[in-house]
Amino acid sequence: MLIKDLLIIILGLFVLLQIILRAIKKFRHTPAPSFIGRVLDSNFRKRLQPPDKVIQRSGIKEGMQVLEVGCGSGAFTTFAARAVGEKGKVYALDIQPKMLKQLENKLTKPQNKDIKNIELIKGSAHDLPFDKNSFDLVYMITVLQEIPDQNKALQEIKRVLKPGGILAVTEFLPDPDYPLKSTTIKIGRETGFVLNEASGNLWNYTVRFRKP
Ligand SMILES: C[S@@+](CC[C@H](N)C(=O)[O-])C[C@H]1O[C@@H](n2cnc3c(N)ncnc32)[C@H](O)[C@@H]1O
């Protein structure tokens, strides 16, 4: 009985927190604060949203030139770097220097010393500092809904992707910006991307699009 009560309380608190955060976000369109970088890169989250699965579903493969938009503290970046290997490269872009600093610190840790193929870039999704047709794949994890002008950002992503290149959008239910899979598919299609594959579940999904 006690466990059941506890579970109900935890679920109630989760729902309440979601309502409060979503209400705040309606009025204040700001990026996720940098202090949550530790939570984003925690082992607890990795258990709920395993990075290797997300990277695999996104279609990140050996030798690819990859752009991560909104890398945050880099919860997924090292996994992407290992997936593309020595012949590939990951450009990790974020609008907040404090998030990039956390990723930079992470890369100095002994377990990441072997990673040499990540470049950190401070920039905005609205105005990507890359030439057209630069990347095989662009991915975003719990980022798209945080970007004020999503259409502009997606047009920019389309510009920097090679023809036939992949855009992978991953969303995670505990994120207060979480949209339904159908919403993400609609946004991608409206900007001229072609749906390639939608995988995962309600809790944690990835939608892959192709640039025509
Ligand atoms: C919720 S965090 C997710 C970070 C990371 N993708 C993860 O899943 O751990 C969203 C990130 O997107 C970044 N961001 C928000 N708006 C952005 C924009 N317009 N251009 C680039 N990055 C942006 C924020 O600074 C933040 O680091």
Side-chain angles (χ1 to χ4, degrees), residues 31-32 36 40-41 45 49 68-76 93-96 99 123-126 140-143 146-148 175 177:
I36 67 153
L40 293 173
D41 198 19
R45 181 189 184 192
Q49 194 184 31
E68 178 175 9
V69 174
C71 59
S73 50
F76 297 87
L93 176 136
D94 204 284
I95 201 164
Q96 298 189 80
M99 284 291 196
S124 167
H126 292 145
M140 283 187 275
I141 301 166
T142 63
V143 172
E146 218 175 87
I147 298 173
D175 178 7
D177 290 313

Side-chain angles (χ1 to χ4, degrees), residues 67 69 91 93-94 119 121-132 134-135 156 159-160:
L67 169 64
V69 174
Y91 293 80
L93 176 136
D94 204 284
E119 187 171 327
I121 292 143
K122 195 232 163 246
S124 167
H126 292 145
D127 187 16
L128 294 173
F130 305 102
D131 291 338
K132 65 174 186 177
S134 296
F135 297 102
E156 268 296 87
R159 181 183 67 77
V160 301

Side-chain angles (χ1 to χ4, degrees), residues 141-178:
I141 301 166
T142 63
V143 172
L144 183 57
Q145 295 298 319
E146 218 175 87
I147 298 173
D149 190 340
Q150 291 164 19
N151 181 52
K152 193 169 179 194
L154 290 174
Q155 292 300 348
E156 268 296 87
I157 289 171
K158 205 149 69 156
R159 181 183 67 77
V160 301
L161 268 176
K162 295 175 185 171
I166 294 167
L167 162 65
V169 181
T170 296
E171 300 292 354
F172 184 46
L173 185 60
D175 178 7
D177 290 313
Y178 170 89

Side-chain angles (χ1 to χ4, degrees), residues 77-91:
T77 321
T78 51
F79 291 84
R82 291 208 161 93
V84 299
E86 279 174 16
K87 290 188 184 135
K89 187 161 175 178
V90 177
Y91 293 80

